[in-house]
Amino acid sequence: MTAVARTPEGRVASPCINVCKMHEATALCRGCARTIPEIAGWSKADDDERLRILSLLPERRALLRSHGVNDMETSA
């Protein structure tokens, strides 16, 4: 498994890149590729759940690109 970014406290860090706009057709954030419930629950999620969400992001970023979302909006 590749290394994941960690917070100073050692928790799995958020993939947020401060491009907080939802893509209506996919219901994914254009910046981090998470859903609203995932974004809202991130602070309460344990590291296993955070890693599960992170594992979904590459496929979601590809989906966003297929819908014309700029790569700059989806790269961390």
Side-chain angles (χ1 to χ4, degrees), residues 36-55:
I36 288 175
E38 290 167 348
I39 294 165
W42 188 265
S43 65
K44 293 182 176 130
D46 63 23
D47 279 353
D48 286 340
E49 176 64 5
R50 290 177 177 199
L51 290 169
R52 184 192 71 77
I53 294 167
L54 291 180
S55 75

Side-chain angles (χ1 to χ4, degrees), residues 18-24 28-32 64 73:
N18 296 316
V19 177
C20 304
K21 290 171 109 178
M22 299 307 289
H23 182 259
E24 288 188 29
L28 298 172
C29 174
R30 291 173 174 266
C32 68
L64 286 166
E73 293 176 300

Side-chain angles (χ1 to χ4, degrees), residues 2 5-6 9 28-29 31 33-34 37 44-45 53-54 56-57 59:
T2 60
R6 299 274 175 173
E9 298 81 24
L28 298 172
C29 174
R34 292 179 293 169
K44 293 182 176 130
I53 294 167
L54 291 180
L56 301 172
L57 301 186
E59 184 175 330

